[in-house]
Amino acid sequence: MHLQSEKKFTALSFFSGGGLLDYGMKEYFDFIWANELNPQPALCYKHNVENHIVVGDIESIIDHTPSALPEVDVAVGGPPCFDFTSNNTAGKGQQGEHGKLIWAYFNGIKLVKPKAIIFENVIGLYKKHRSTLDELLNSFRAIGYQISLGSLNAETFGVAQSRDRLFIVGIRKDLGFTFRFPQPPHVHKTVRDALSDLPAPTAVNQPILVPNHVVTWTSPTPERIHDLMLHPRNQWIGARRLQWDNVSPMIGFNIGKDGRAFLHPEEDRKITVREFLRLMGVDDSFVIPDTVKITNQYKLIGNGVAVPVARALAETLHQQLRDALSN
Ligand SMILES: C[S@@+](CC[C@H](N)C(=O)[O-])C[C@H]1O[C@@H](n2cnc3c(N)ncnc32)[C@H](O)[C@@H]1O
């Protein structure tokens, strides 16, 4: 679909990170406001989405300058998932410093009352924190939204990574419809499909052939790599080798300092930032500026939404909103 001549709906984004969700949606929605606490991912957002991102704490904005939030058609966001992640046994849920921010998202929605909302988080919110999820869904209903809940795995949208995420989509009741999630196209890609056309990464201080495709660090140690090669089944958190003919396992924000947790399928090195972006379905025109520290580059990608999933949600929501408003 080409939207050049069609009206785009306006959007704002909470917890915008490096902007993967918004980058995937921006063909369909015009992001006029965004917010992120950390200035480092915000640099990436500015470079790839829009320059307007406000750096600061969302709770403080809502409490002290609520009029800063513009009127928009759609609001999106993925509050930090750390306290809801299934493998985080110490996760404090909504009592946690991060977990409580789902209510900042809710309070933002209550102020703006957009036509539609998209909320993204980990499946652990459904599996381990169901009463919190129910409380959140009922709160959205109570302020006038018709709610749809779904999970989408990036793997079924042509991304070479198994990455299942929970989405809440709310439609303001006066619009008179319930959101229907996009059907996955079931296009499957392997790590080979995603990475094999890349040239060898360049070393630091050499001319860069592909942006963000640079070897910056040799970790894990040669001893660990040697052990992995001798015992290919002996994989452990901290160094796992990707398989050419499979999808990548889920790669989270805790990919390890400088991204050392995942090794290239056959070269004895960690994956580059470009390879990680490719494993999130991000095209090569998305470039993370050098002003973002390398650890933060990996982290912002691991925090992000796989771009083809974001795009499919955006296309579907755009179409359903347009149909409802033209009736
Ligand atoms: C899961 S990430 C969002 C990723 C984004 N949706 C994407 O696709 O790239 C959550 C973000 O919330 C930010 N954050 C955490 N606490 C915040 C706060 N109090 N105010 C605003 N942003 C916050 C984090 O720095 C992080 O970048």
Side-chain angles (χ1 to χ4, degrees), residues 15-22 35-38 41 56-59 78-81 101 120 300 303-305:
F15 306 102
S16 312
L20 271 71
L21 174 64
D22 303 12
N35 166 248
E36 165 58 44
L37 180 66
N38 186 336
D57 171 27
I58 188 62
E59 288 187 306
C81 54
L101 291 167
E120 179 263 348
L300 77 84
N303 259 331
V305 175

mmCIF file with all atom_site columns, all heavy atoms in Angstrom, residues 15-22 35-38 41 56-59 78-81 101 120 300 303-305, ligand 1:
data_model
loop_
_atom_site.group_PDB
_atom_site.id
_atom_site.type_symbol
_atom_site.label_atom_id
_atom_site.label_alt_id
_atom_site.label_comp_id
_atom_site.label_asym_id
_atom_site.label_entity_id
_atom_site.label_seq_id
_atom_site.pdbx_PDB_ins_code
_atom_site.Cartn_x
_atom_site.Cartn_y
_atom_site.Cartn_z
_atom_site.occupancy
_atom_site.B_iso_or_equiv
_atom_site.pdbx_formal_charge
_atom_site.auth_seq_id
_atom_site.auth_comp_id
_atom_site.auth_asym_id
_atom_site.auth_atom_id
_atom_site.pdbx_PDB_model_num
ATOM   1   N N   . PHE A 1 15  ? 7.738  5.519  26.043 1.00 0.00 ? 15  PHE A N   1
ATOM   2   C CA  . PHE A 1 15  ? 8.792  4.499  26.200 1.00 0.00 ? 15  PHE A CA  1
ATOM   3   C C   . PHE A 1 15  ? 9.381  4.153  24.826 1.00 0.00 ? 15  PHE A C   1
ATOM   4   O O   . PHE A 1 15  ? 9.437  2.987  24.429 1.00 0.00 ? 15  PHE A O   1
ATOM   5   C CB  . PHE A 1 15  ? 8.221  3.247  26.881 1.00 0.00 ? 15  PHE A CB  1
ATOM   6   C CG  . PHE A 1 15  ? 7.537  3.550  28.188 1.00 0.00 ? 15  PHE A CG  1
ATOM   7   C CD1 . PHE A 1 15  ? 6.149  3.616  28.272 1.00 0.00 ? 15  PHE A CD1 1
ATOM   8   C CD2 . PHE A 1 15  ? 8.280  3.809  29.334 1.00 0.00 ? 15  PHE A CD2 1
ATOM   9   C CE1 . PHE A 1 15  ? 5.516  3.910  29.470 1.00 0.00 ? 15  PHE A CE1 1
ATOM   10  C CE2 . PHE A 1 15  ? 7.654  4.102  30.532 1.00 0.00 ? 15  PHE A CE2 1
ATOM   11  C CZ  . PHE A 1 15  ? 6.269  4.152  30.600 1.00 0.00 ? 15  PHE A CZ  1
ATOM   12  N N   . SER A 1 16  ? 9.799  5.168  24.110 1.00 0.00 ? 16  SER A N   1
ATOM   13  C CA  . SER A 1 16  ? 10.098 5.000  22.681 1.00 0.00 ? 16  SER A CA  1
ATOM   14  C C   . SER A 1 16  ? 11.404 4.271  22.401 1.00 0.00 ? 16  SER A C   1
ATOM   15  O O   . SER A 1 16  ? 11.598 3.765  21.297 1.00 0.00 ? 16  SER A O   1
ATOM   16  C CB  . SER A 1 16  ? 10.135 6.365  22.006 1.00 0.00 ? 16  SER A CB  1
ATOM   17  O OG  . SER A 1 16  ? 9.007  7.107  22.385 1.00 0.00 ? 16  SER A OG  1
ATOM   18  N N   . GLY A 1 17  ? 12.332 4.219  23.365 1.00 0.00 ? 17  GLY A N   1
ATOM   19  C CA  . GLY A 1 17  ? 13.591 3.514  23.153 1.00 0.00 ? 17  GLY A CA  1
ATOM   20  C C   . GLY A 1 17  ? 14.315 4.029  21.928 1.00 0.00 ? 17  GLY A C   1
ATOM   21  O O   . GLY A 1 17  ? 14.310 5.229  21.612 1.00 0.00 ? 17  GLY A O   1
ATOM   22  N N   . GLY A 1 18  ? 14.934 3.096  21.187 1.00 0.00 ? 18  GLY A N   1
ATOM   23  C CA  . GLY A 1 18  ? 15.637 3.473  19.959 1.00 0.00 ? 18  GLY A CA  1
ATOM   24  C C   . GLY A 1 18  ? 14.698 3.589  18.779 1.00 0.00 ? 18  GLY A C   1
ATOM   25  O O   . GLY A 1 18  ? 15.138 3.890  17.666 1.00 0.00 ? 18  GLY A O   1
ATOM   26  N N   . GLY A 1 19  ? 13.385 3.299  18.999 1.00 0.00 ? 19  GLY A N   1
ATOM   27  C CA  . GLY A 1 19  ? 12.392 3.602  17.967 1.00 0.00 ? 19  GLY A CA  1
ATOM   28  C C   . GLY A 1 19  ? 12.061 2.477  17.008 1.00 0.00 ? 19  GLY A C   1
ATOM   29  O O   . GLY A 1 19  ? 11.502 2.735  15.942 1.00 0.00 ? 19  GLY A O   1
ATOM   30  N N   . LEU A 1 20  ? 12.335 1.216  17.360 1.00 0.00 ? 20  LEU A N   1
ATOM   31  C CA  . LEU A 1 20  ? 12.043 0.146  16.389 1.00 0.00 ? 20  LEU A CA  1
ATOM   32  C C   . LEU A 1 20  ? 10.544 0.040  16.106 1.00 0.00 ? 20  LEU A C   1
ATOM   33  O O   . LEU A 1 20  ? 10.123 -0.098 14.958 1.00 0.00 ? 20  LEU A O   1
ATOM   34  C CB  . LEU A 1 20  ? 12.587 -1.212 16.886 1.00 0.00 ? 20  LEU A CB  1
ATOM   35  C CG  . LEU A 1 20  ? 14.033 -1.516 16.478 1.00 0.00 ? 20  LEU A CG  1
ATOM   36  C CD1 . LEU A 1 20  ? 15.019 -0.642 17.218 1.00 0.00 ? 20  LEU A CD1 1
ATOM   37  C CD2 . LEU A 1 20  ? 14.375 -2.972 16.688 1.00 0.00 ? 20  LEU A CD2 1
ATOM   38  N N   . LEU A 1 21  ? 9.727  0.119  17.165 1.00 0.00 ? 21  LEU A N   1
ATOM   39  C CA  . LEU A 1 21  ? 8.266  0.049  16.977 1.00 0.00 ? 21  LEU A CA  1
ATOM   40  C C   . LEU A 1 21  ? 7.799  1.189  16.062 1.00 0.00 ? 21  LEU A C   1
ATOM   41  O O   . LEU A 1 21  ? 7.076  0.971  15.079 1.00 0.00 ? 21  LEU A O   1
ATOM   42  C CB  . LEU A 1 21  ? 7.568  0.129  18.344 1.00 0.00 ? 21  LEU A CB  1
ATOM   43  C CG  . LEU A 1 21  ? 6.044  0.218  18.347 1.00 0.00 ? 21  LEU A CG  1
ATOM   44  C CD1 . LEU A 1 21  ? 5.404  -1.038 17.763 1.00 0.00 ? 21  LEU A CD1 1
ATOM   45  C CD2 . LEU A 1 21  ? 5.505  0.439  19.768 1.00 0.00 ? 21  LEU A CD2 1
ATOM   46  N N   . ASP A 1 22  ? 8.243  2.405  16.369 1.00 0.00 ? 22  ASP A N   1
ATOM   47  C CA  . ASP A 1 22  ? 7.777  3.574  15.612 1.00 0.00 ? 22  ASP A CA  1
ATOM   48  C C   . ASP A 1 22  ? 8.323  3.554  14.178 1.00 0.00 ? 22  ASP A C   1
ATOM   49  O O   . ASP A 1 22  ? 7.641  3.959  13.234 1.00 0.00 ? 22  ASP A O   1
ATOM   50  C CB  . ASP A 1 22  ? 8.206  4.875  16.317 1.00 0.00 ? 22  ASP A CB  1
ATOM   51  C CG  . ASP A 1 22  ? 7.700  4.939  17.755 1.00 0.00 ? 22  ASP A CG  1
ATOM   52  O OD1 . ASP A 1 22  ? 7.229  3.905  18.260 1.00 0.00 ? 22  ASP A OD1 1
ATOM   53  O OD2 . ASP A 1 22  ? 7.794  6.003  18.377 1.00 0.00 ? 22  ASP A OD2 1
ATOM   54  N N   . ASN A 1 35  ? 8.602  10.038 23.755 1.00 0.00 ? 35  ASN A N   1
ATOM   55  C CA  . ASN A 1 35  ? 9.288  10.276 25.031 1.00 0.00 ? 35  ASN A CA  1
ATOM   56  C C   . ASN A 1 35  ? 10.147 9.070  25.394 1.00 0.00 ? 35  ASN A C   1
ATOM   57  O O   . ASN A 1 35  ? 9.728  7.922  25.226 1.00 0.00 ? 35  ASN A O   1
ATOM   58  C CB  . ASN A 1 35  ? 8.263  10.528 26.143 1.00 0.00 ? 35  ASN A CB  1
ATOM   59  C CG  . ASN A 1 35  ? 8.892  10.452 27.528 1.00 0.00 ? 35  ASN A CG  1
ATOM   60  O OD1 . ASN A 1 35  ? 8.602  9.542  28.291 1.00 0.00 ? 35  ASN A OD1 1
ATOM   61  N ND2 . ASN A 1 35  ? 9.763  11.378 27.853 1.00 0.00 ? 35  ASN A ND2 1
ATOM   62  N N   . GLU A 1 36  ? 11.326 9.355  25.918 1.00 0.00 ? 36  GLU A N   1
ATOM   63  C CA  . GLU A 1 36  ? 12.246 8.304  26.359 1.00 0.00 ? 36  GLU A CA  1
ATOM   64  C C   . GLU A 1 36  ? 13.102 8.875  27.481 1.00 0.00 ? 36  GLU A C   1
ATOM   65  O O   . GLU A 1 36  ? 13.540 10.019 27.427 1.00 0.00 ? 36  GLU A O   1
ATOM   66  C CB  . GLU A 1 36  ? 13.098 7.850  25.151 1.00 0.00 ? 36  GLU A CB  1
ATOM   67  C CG  . GLU A 1 36  ? 14.335 7.044  25.463 1.00 0.00 ? 36  GLU A CG  1
ATOM   68  C CD  . GLU A 1 36  ? 14.070 5.749  26.242 1.00 0.00 ? 36  GLU A CD  1
ATOM   69  O OE1 . GLU A 1 36  ? 13.136 5.007  25.934 1.00 0.00 ? 36  GLU A OE1 1
ATOM   70  O OE2 . GLU A 1 36  ? 14.837 5.516  27.215 1.00 0.00 ? 36  GLU A OE2 1
ATOM   71  N N   . LEU A 1 37  ? 13.306 8.043  28.517 1.00 0.00 ? 37  LEU A N   1
ATOM   72  C CA  . LEU A 1 37  ? 14.081 8.492  29.681 1.00 0.00 ? 37  LEU A CA  1
ATOM   73  C C   . LEU A 1 37  ? 15.563 8.639  29.367 1.00 0.00 ? 37  LEU A C   1
ATOM   74  O O   . LEU A 1 37  ? 16.223 9.586  29.791 1.00 0.00 ? 37  LEU A O   1
ATOM   75  C CB  . LEU A 1 37  ? 13.903 7.457  30.811 1.00 0.00 ? 37  LEU A CB  1
ATOM   76  C CG  . LEU A 1 37  ? 14.636 7.727  32.115 1.00 0.00 ? 37  LEU A CG  1
ATOM   77  C CD1 . LEU A 1 37  ? 14.089 8.976  32.797 1.00 0.00 ? 37  LEU A CD1 1
ATOM   78  C CD2 . LEU A 1 37  ? 14.517 6.524  33.052 1.00 0.00 ? 37  LEU A CD2 1
ATOM   79  N N   . ASN A 1 38  ? 16.086 7.696  28.602 1.00 0.00 ? 38  ASN A N   1
ATOM   80  C CA  . ASN A 1 38  ? 17.536 7.585  28.425 1.00 0.00 ? 38  ASN A CA  1
ATOM   81  C C   . ASN A 1 38  ? 17.980 8.323  27.151 1.00 0.00 ? 38  ASN A C   1
ATOM   82  O O   . ASN A 1 38  ? 17.519 8.002  26.058 1.00 0.00 ? 38  ASN A O   1
ATOM   83  C CB  . ASN A 1 38  ? 17.868 6.087  28.346 1.00 0.00 ? 38  ASN A CB  1
ATOM   84  C CG  . ASN A 1 38  ? 19.349 5.822  28.308 1.00 0.00 ? 38  ASN A CG  1
ATOM   85  O OD1 . ASN A 1 38  ? 20.140 6.675  27.907 1.00 0.00 ? 38  ASN A OD1 1
ATOM   86  N ND2 . ASN A 1 38  ? 19.720 4.626  28.717 1.00 0.00 ? 38  ASN A ND2 1
ATOM   87  N N   . PRO A 1 41  ? 19.375 5.820  23.736 1.00 0.00 ? 41  PRO A N   1
ATOM   88  C CA  . PRO A 1 41  ? 18.479 5.346  22.673 1.00 0.00 ? 41  PRO A CA  1
ATOM   89  C C   . PRO A 1 41  ? 17.762 6.487  21.962 1.00 0.00 ? 41  PRO A C   1
ATOM   90  O O   . PRO A 1 41  ? 17.450 6.379  20.765 1.00 0.00 ? 41  PRO A O   1
ATOM   91  C CB  . PRO A 1 41  ? 17.486 4.420  23.403 1.00 0.00 ? 41  PRO A CB  1
ATOM   92  C CG  . PRO A 1 41  ? 17.669 4.661  24.850 1.00 0.00 ? 41  PRO A CG  1
ATOM   93  C CD  . PRO A 1 41  ? 19.047 5.203  25.044 1.00 0.00 ? 41  PRO A CD  1
ATOM   94  N N   . GLY A 1 56  ? 13.167 12.445 29.048 1.00 0.00 ? 56  GLY A N   1
ATOM   95  C CA  . GLY A 1 56  ? 12.771 12.724 30.429 1.00 0.00 ? 56  GLY A CA  1
ATOM   96  C C   . GLY A 1 56  ? 11.880 11.629 30.960 1.00 0.00 ? 56  GLY A C   1
ATOM   97  O O   . GLY A 1 56  ? 11.464 10.726 30.216 1.00 0.00 ? 56  GLY A O   1
ATOM   98  N N   . ASP A 1 57  ? 11.577 11.720 32.240 1.00 0.00 ? 57  ASP A N   1
ATOM   99  C CA  . ASP A 1 57  ? 10.781 10.708 32.929 1.00 0.00 ? 57  ASP A CA  1
ATOM   100 C C   . ASP A 1 57  ? 9.289  10.930 32.645 1.00 0.00 ? 57  ASP A C   1
ATOM   101 O O   . ASP A 1 57  ? 8.751  12.008 32.905 1.00 0.00 ? 57  ASP A O   1
ATOM   102 C CB  . ASP A 1 57  ? 11.081 10.829 34.431 1.00 0.00 ? 57  ASP A CB  1
ATOM   103 C CG  . ASP A 1 57  ? 10.147 9.989  35.271 1.00 0.00 ? 57  ASP A CG  1
ATOM   104 O OD1 . ASP A 1 57  ? 9.651  8.977  34.765 1.00 0.00 ? 57  ASP A OD1 1
ATOM   105 O OD2 . ASP A 1 57  ? 9.921  10.355 36.440 1.00 0.00 ? 57  ASP A OD2 1
ATOM   106 N N   . ILE A 1 58  ? 8.613  9.918  32.152 1.00 0.00 ? 58  ILE A N   1
ATOM   107 C CA  . ILE A 1 58  ? 7.208  10.067 31.768 1.00 0.00 ? 58  ILE A CA  1
ATOM   108 C C   . ILE A 1 58  ? 6.316  10.361 32.975 1.00 0.00 ? 58  ILE A C   1
ATOM   109 O O   . ILE A 1 58  ? 5.348  11.126 32.876 1.00 0.00 ? 58  ILE A O   1
ATOM   110 C CB  . ILE A 1 58  ? 6.698  8.831  30.967 1.00 0.00 ? 58  ILE A CB  1
ATOM   111 C CG1 . ILE A 1 58  ? 5.303  9.083  30.399 1.00 0.00 ? 58  ILE A CG1 1
ATOM   112 C CG2 . ILE A 1 58  ? 6.698  7.568  31.792 1.00 0.00 ? 58  ILE A CG2 1
ATOM   113 C CD1 . ILE A 1 58  ? 5.206  10.212 29.426 1.00 0.00 ? 58  ILE A CD1 1
ATOM   114 N N   . GLU A 1 59  ? 6.648  9.781  34.122 1.00 0.00 ? 59  GLU A N   1
ATOM   115 C CA  . GLU A 1 59  ? 5.799  10.033 35.309 1.00 0.00 ? 59  GLU A CA  1
ATOM   116 C C   . GLU A 1 59  ? 5.846  11.511 35.658 1.00 0.00 ? 59  GLU A C   1
ATOM   117 O O   . GLU A 1 59  ? 4.838  12.121 36.013 1.00 0.00 ? 59  GLU A O   1
ATOM   118 C CB  . GLU A 1 59  ? 6.286  9.196  36.492 1.00 0.00 ? 59  GLU A CB  1
ATOM   119 C CG  . GLU A 1 59  ? 5.980  7.717  36.313 1.00 0.00 ? 59  GLU A CG  1
ATOM   120 C CD  . GLU A 1 59  ? 6.300  6.908  37.552 1.00 0.00 ? 59  GLU A CD  1
ATOM   121 O OE1 . GLU A 1 59  ? 7.463  6.996  38.029 1.00 0.00 ? 59  GLU A OE1 1
ATOM   122 O OE2 . GLU A 1 59  ? 5.411  6.203  38.045 1.00 0.00 ? 59  GLU A OE2 1
ATOM   123 N N   . GLY A 1 78  ? 5.770  0.473  24.590 1.00 0.00 ? 78  GLY A N   1
ATOM   124 C CA  . GLY A 1 78  ? 6.109  -0.758 25.295 1.00 0.00 ? 78  GLY A CA  1
ATOM   125 C C   . GLY A 1 78  ? 6.835  -0.411 26.577 1.00 0.00 ? 78  GLY A C   1
ATOM   126 O O   . GLY A 1 78  ? 8.051  -0.219 26.573 1.00 0.00 ? 78  GLY A O   1
ATOM   127 N N   . PRO A 1 79  ? 6.100  -0.314 27.718 1.00 0.00 ? 79  PRO A N   1
ATOM   128 C CA  . PRO A 1 79  ? 6.786  -0.018 28.980 1.00 0.00 ? 79  PRO A CA  1
ATOM   129 C C   . PRO A 1 79  ? 7.822  -1.107 29.317 1.00 0.00 ? 79  PRO A C   1
ATOM   130 O O   . PRO A 1 79  ? 7.696  -2.234 28.829 1.00 0.00 ? 79  PRO A O   1
ATOM   131 C CB  . PRO A 1 79  ? 5.647  -0.020 30.010 1.00 0.00 ? 79  PRO A CB  1
ATOM   132 C CG  . PRO A 1 79  ? 4.396  0.151  29.235 1.00 0.00 ? 79  PRO A CG  1
ATOM   133 C CD  . PRO A 1 79  ? 4.646  -0.455 27.889 1.00 0.00 ? 79  PRO A CD  1
ATOM   134 N N   . PRO A 1 80  ? 8.826  -0.780 30.131 1.00 0.00 ? 80  PRO A N   1
ATOM   135 C CA  . PRO A 1 80  ? 9.890  -1.751 30.422 1.00 0.00 ? 80  PRO A CA  1
ATOM   136 C C   . PRO A 1 80  ? 9.319  -3.084 30.906 1.00 0.00 ? 80  PRO A C   1
ATOM   137 O O   . PRO A 1 80  ? 8.391  -3.128 31.723 1.00 0.00 ? 80  PRO A O   1
ATOM   138 C CB  . PRO A 1 80  ? 10.689 -1.078 31.540 1.00 0.00 ? 80  PRO A CB  1
ATOM   139 C CG  . PRO A 1 80  ? 10.439 0.378  31.358 1.00 0.00 ? 80  PRO A CG  1
ATOM   140 C CD  . PRO A 1 80  ? 9.037  0.495  30.827 1.00 0.00 ? 80  PRO A CD  1
ATOM   141 N N   . CYS A 1 81  ? 9.904  -4.191 30.383 1.00 0.00 ? 81  CYS A N   1
ATOM   142 C CA  . CYS A 1 81  ? 9.327  -5.517 30.637 1.00 0.00 ? 81  CYS A CA  1
ATOM   143 C C   . CYS A 1 81  ? 10.060 -6.281 31.736 1.00 0.00 ? 81  CYS A C   1
ATOM   144 O O   . CYS A 1 81  ? 9.621  -7.339 32.157 1.00 0.00 ? 81  CYS A O   1
ATOM   145 C CB  . CYS A 1 81  ? 9.361  -6.324 29.343 1.00 0.00 ? 81  CYS A CB  1
ATOM   146 S SG  . CYS A 1 81  ? 11.002 -6.398 28.630 1.00 0.00 ? 81  CYS A SG  1
ATOM   147 N N   . LEU A 1 101 ? 5.562  1.095  35.750 1.00 0.00 ? 101 LEU A N   1
ATOM   148 C CA  . LEU A 1 101 ? 5.413  2.062  34.650 1.00 0.00 ? 101 LEU A CA  1
ATOM   149 C C   . LEU A 1 101 ? 4.281  1.710  33.679 1.00 0.00 ? 101 LEU A C   1
ATOM   150 O O   . LEU A 1 101 ? 3.889  2.549  32.857 1.00 0.00 ? 101 LEU A O   1
ATOM   151 C CB  . LEU A 1 101 ? 6.741  2.217  33.908 1.00 0.00 ? 101 LEU A CB  1
ATOM   152 C CG  . LEU A 1 101 ? 7.819  2.914  34.749 1.00 0.00 ? 101 LEU A CG  1
ATOM   153 C CD1 . LEU A 1 101 ? 9.189  2.779  34.110 1.00 0.00 ? 101 LEU A CD1 1
ATOM   154 C CD2 . LEU A 1 101 ? 7.476  4.399  34.953 1.00 0.00 ? 101 LEU A CD2 1
ATOM   155 N N   . GLU A 1 120 ? 2.664  -2.823 24.155 1.00 0.00 ? 120 GLU A N   1
ATOM   156 C CA  . GLU A 1 120 ? 3.451  -4.037 23.890 1.00 0.00 ? 120 GLU A CA  1
ATOM   157 C C   . GLU A 1 120 ? 4.210  -4.444 25.148 1.00 0.00 ? 120 GLU A C   1
ATOM   158 O O   . GLU A 1 120 ? 4.694  -3.596 25.894 1.00 0.00 ? 120 GLU A O   1
ATOM   159 C CB  . GLU A 1 120 ? 4.436  -3.725 22.747 1.00 0.00 ? 120 GLU A CB  1
ATOM   160 C CG  . GLU A 1 120 ? 5.345  -4.859 22.358 1.00 0.00 ? 120 GLU A CG  1
ATOM   161 C CD  . GLU A 1 120 ? 6.729  -4.815 22.984 1.00 0.00 ? 120 GLU A CD  1
ATOM   162 O OE1 . GLU A 1 120 ? 7.106  -3.767 23.565 1.00 0.00 ? 120 GLU A OE1 1
ATOM   163 O OE2 . GLU A 1 120 ? 7.441  -5.821 22.916 1.00 0.00 ? 120 GLU A OE2 1
ATOM   164 N N   . LEU A 1 300 ? 19.381 -1.386 23.034 1.00 0.00 ? 300 LEU A N   1
ATOM   165 C CA  . LEU A 1 300 ? 18.171 -0.776 22.457 1.00 0.00 ? 300 LEU A CA  1
ATOM   166 C C   . LEU A 1 300 ? 17.531 -1.694 21.421 1.00 0.00 ? 300 LEU A C   1
ATOM   167 O O   . LEU A 1 300 ? 16.304 -1.715 21.271 1.00 0.00 ? 300 LEU A O   1
ATOM   168 C CB  . LEU A 1 300 ? 18.452 0.629  21.908 1.00 0.00 ? 300 LEU A CB  1
ATOM   169 C CG  . LEU A 1 300 ? 19.175 0.837  20.575 1.00 0.00 ? 300 LEU A CG  1
ATOM   170 C CD1 . LEU A 1 300 ? 18.252 0.748  19.381 1.00 0.00 ? 300 LEU A CD1 1
ATOM   171 C CD2 . LEU A 1 300 ? 19.861 2.175  20.582 1.00 0.00 ? 300 LEU A CD2 1
ATOM   172 N N   . ASN A 1 303 ? 15.652 -4.438 23.260 1.00 0.00 ? 303 ASN A N   1
ATOM   173 C CA  . ASN A 1 303 ? 14.441 -3.898 23.874 1.00 0.00 ? 303 ASN A CA  1
ATOM   174 C C   . ASN A 1 303 ? 13.315 -3.694 22.859 1.00 0.00 ? 303 ASN A C   1
ATOM   175 O O   . ASN A 1 303 ? 12.192 -3.397 23.242 1.00 0.00 ? 303 ASN A O   1
ATOM   176 C CB  . ASN A 1 303 ? 14.757 -2.505 24.452 1.00 0.00 ? 303 ASN A CB  1
ATOM   177 C CG  . ASN A 1 303 ? 14.978 -2.533 25.943 1.00 0.00 ? 303 ASN A CG  1
ATOM   178 O OD1 . ASN A 1 303 ? 14.421 -3.383 26.635 1.00 0.00 ? 303 ASN A OD1 1
ATOM   179 N ND2 . ASN A 1 303 ? 15.782 -1.605 26.439 1.00 0.00 ? 303 ASN A ND2 1
ATOM   180 N N   . GLY A 1 304 ? 13.646 -3.803 21.585 1.00 0.00 ? 304 GLY A N   1
ATOM   181 C CA  . GLY A 1 304 ? 12.731 -3.306 20.548 1.00 0.00 ? 304 GLY A CA  1
ATOM   182 C C   . GLY A 1 304 ? 11.698 -4.318 20.073 1.00 0.00 ? 304 GLY A C   1
ATOM   183 O O   . GLY A 1 304 ? 11.714 -5.497 20.422 1.00 0.00 ? 304 GLY A O   1
ATOM   184 N N   . VAL A 1 305 ? 10.800 -3.812 19.248 1.00 0.00 ? 305 VAL A N   1
ATOM   185 C CA  . VAL A 1 305 ? 9.780  -4.649 18.593 1.00 0.00 ? 305 VAL A CA  1
ATOM   186 C C   . VAL A 1 305 ? 10.302 -5.005 17.198 1.00 0.00 ? 305 VAL A C   1
ATOM   187 O O   . VAL A 1 305 ? 10.833 -4.142 16.495 1.00 0.00 ? 305 VAL A O   1
ATOM   188 C CB  . VAL A 1 305 ? 8.452  -3.865 18.464 1.00 0.00 ? 305 VAL A CB  1
ATOM   189 C CG1 . VAL A 1 305 ? 7.413  -4.661 17.674 1.00 0.00 ? 305 VAL A CG1 1
ATOM   190 C CG2 . VAL A 1 305 ? 7.911  -3.519 19.852 1.00 0.00 ? 305 VAL A CG2 1
HETATM 191 C C1  . LIG B 2 .   ? 10.979 -1.941 26.050 1.00 0.00 ? 1   LIG B C1  1
HETATM 192 S S1  . LIG B 2 .   ? 11.795 -0.432 25.762 1.00 0.00 ? 1   LIG B S1  1
HETATM 193 C C2  . LIG B 2 .   ? 10.857 0.231  24.413 1.00 0.00 ? 1   LIG B C2  1
HETATM 194 C C3  . LIG B 2 .   ? 11.380 -0.154 23.055 1.00 0.00 ? 1   LIG B C3  1
HETATM 195 C C4  . LIG B 2 .   ? 10.632 0.423  21.877 1.00 0.00 ? 1   LIG B C4  1
HETATM 196 N N1  . LIG B 2 .   ? 9.227  0.129  21.931 1.00 0.00 ? 1   LIG B N1  1
HETATM 197 C C5  . LIG B 2 .   ? 11.194 -0.102 20.566 1.00 0.00 ? 1   LIG B C5  1
HETATM 198 O O1  . LIG B 2 .   ? 10.506 -0.844 19.846 1.00 0.00 ? 1   LIG B O1  1
HETATM 199 O O2  . LIG B 2 .   ? 12.344 0.233  20.240 1.00 0.00 ? 1   LIG B O2  1
HETATM 200 C C6  . LIG B 2 .   ? 11.304 0.560  27.126 1.00 0.00 ? 1   LIG B C6  1
HETATM 201 C C7  . LIG B 2 .   ? 11.959 1.919  27.192 1.00 0.00 ? 1   LIG B C7  1
HETATM 202 O O3  . LIG B 2 .   ? 11.386 2.665  28.280 1.00 0.00 ? 1   LIG B O3  1
HETATM 203 C C8  . LIG B 2 .   ? 12.387 3.546  28.764 1.00 0.00 ? 1   LIG B C8  1
HETATM 204 N N2  . LIG B 2 .   ? 12.012 4.030  30.108 1.00 0.00 ? 1   LIG B N2  1
HETATM 205 C C9  . LIG B 2 .   ? 12.224 3.423  31.298 1.00 0.00 ? 1   LIG B C9  1
HETATM 206 N N3  . LIG B 2 .   ? 11.742 4.160  32.303 1.00 0.00 ? 1   LIG B N3  1
HETATM 207 C C10 . LIG B 2 .   ? 11.214 5.277  31.746 1.00 0.00 ? 1   LIG B C10 1
HETATM 208 C C11 . LIG B 2 .   ? 10.564 6.435  32.280 1.00 0.00 ? 1   LIG B C11 1
HETATM 209 N N4  . LIG B 2 .   ? 10.383 6.567  33.595 1.00 0.00 ? 1   LIG B N4  1
HETATM 210 N N5  . LIG B 2 .   ? 10.151 7.399  31.435 1.00 0.00 ? 1   LIG B N5  1
HETATM 211 C C12 . LIG B 2 .   ? 10.327 7.261  30.098 1.00 0.00 ? 1   LIG B C12 1
HETATM 212 N N6  . LIG B 2 .   ? 10.941 6.178  29.523 1.00 0.00 ? 1   LIG B N6  1
HETATM 213 C C13 . LIG B 2 .   ? 11.372 5.202  30.346 1.00 0.00 ? 1   LIG B C13 1
HETATM 214 C C14 . LIG B 2 .   ? 13.638 2.684  28.748 1.00 0.00 ? 1   LIG B C14 1
HETATM 215 O O4  . LIG B 2 .   ? 14.817 3.485  28.770 1.00 0.00 ? 1   LIG B O4  1
HETATM 216 C C15 . LIG B 2 .   ? 13.458 1.883  27.455 1.00 0.00 ? 1   LIG B C15 1
HETATM 217 O O5  . LIG B 2 .   ? 14.117 2.491  26.379 1.00 0.00 ? 1   LIG B O5  1
#
